[in-house]
């Protein structure tokens, strides 16, 4: 994230360790490779994390 989006991605970099399910992490990584901008990457991570919050 830092390499692709720079320091502005620090807030979502902190969220990545919360993705402990390997399938979820694989889904996120696949989508992040295609993300064209930071807000899109942020949405990908938040959407995956929101599936774990009940």
């Amino acid at each position: 994230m830092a390499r692709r989006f720079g320091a502005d991605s620090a807030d979502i970099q902190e969220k990545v360790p919360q993705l402990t399910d390997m399938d979820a992490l694989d889904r996120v990584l696949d989508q992040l490779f295609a993300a064209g901008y930071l807000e899109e990457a942020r949405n990908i991570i938040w959407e995956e994390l929101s599936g774990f919050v009940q």
Side-chain angles (χ1 to χ4, degrees):
M1 298 296 300
R3 181 173 287 186
R4 183 144 188 209
F5 298 111
D8 290 340
S9 66
D11 64 324
I12 56 174
Q13 289 177 50
E14 293 173 1
K15 299 295 181 188
V16 172
Q18 294 177 24
L19 297 169
T20 57
D21 178 84
M22 291 305 291
D23 291 331
L25 188 56
D26 283 341
R27 280 191 302 274
V28 166
L29 289 175
D30 284 343
Q31 293 176 38
L32 287 175
F33 281 119
Y37 53 97
L38 179 57
E39 193 60 34
E40 185 177 5
R42 188 173 279 122
N43 288 337
I44 290 166
I45 291 173
W46 279 113
E47 285 176 17
E48 192 64 45
L49 286 173
S50 69
F52 293 108
V53 177
Q54 306 251 342

